[in-house]
Amino acid sequence: MTAPATVVVVAFRTPHLDLAWVPADAPAVVVHNDDALDPASVDHAHVTHVFAGRNVGFGAAVNLALPSVTTERVVLCNPDMSLTREHWDALAGGRPDDVVAVPLVDGEGRPTSVVNRRYGPLGVVASGYRLGRLLRRGTRLRGAVLRASGSWGREHEDLQRSAAGTFPLASHWVSGAATGFDAGRLRAVGGFDPGFFLYFEDVDLCRRLAHRFPDMRIVLAPVAPGIHLVGGSKGVGAEQRLVDRLHLAAARRFAATGTGPAWRAAGLALAPRARWLDRR
């Protein structure tokens, strides 16, 4: 019997990779963005290792894996996840129009954003300035601010609590942390835009998929949450400043792909942030 899906994992600063949740007969592709993971330590019967030679970013690394994918579906999974066979069954299933995700919580058991309303210009500016950092996830203050910020904020809060449901890809996007795609649809749009080194690559991909295939939808599977150690590979100090620059670069690139005066204004509004980060 042909395996329904191939799992693709991009390894960076990953000394150990657990693929016990993936069936033994399912192909796996591990893309190494550095040499922290010993290929011999990956315990899986059908694993292909792809060596990027350097850290090329998440989206570009997934693109390197796609030539090795021969199944109808592909499951993308971050290395800092704790998942079960139930999650595999959900992520590997679905129709071509389905982008399948599973609920996730962080290491402290707090729900993380999996399905989100598509960004508008103001949302991209807020993200570019990292305003969410001022309001810790799961706090009453963050909830109050979201509820006070109108329909987008209220929906964002509701989506974080969502345990299952379907959402149009034309109006929503899904995190690529643990997500199942139709491999043919992914190839049809050229995979990820490698210009997004870190952040916004999943937002951009969902927008392009929805444009090419208007009937596509996100399916948040009704399963127990998996665990995602959010931000586990990020550093502090100078390294965090680099991450901030990469995040802003992604926000500016995403704003540049929009059309109309509001998107141009968003790009201009992000410029002072870039100048401030350059002086840090």
Side-chain angles (χ1 to χ4, degrees), residues 140-183:
R140 292 181 179 180
L141 179 59
R142 184 182 178 108
V145 170
L146 286 173
R147 289 190 294 274
S149 62
S151 59
W152 186 92
R154 291 191 295 272
E155 183 179 11
H156 181 78
E157 187 181 33
D158 290 341
L159 286 171
Q160 278 205 317
R161 294 196 298 261
S162 294
T166 59
F167 310 87
L169 201 63
S171 56
H172 293 72
W173 63 275
V174 63
S175 166
T179 318
F181 293 88
D182 179 84

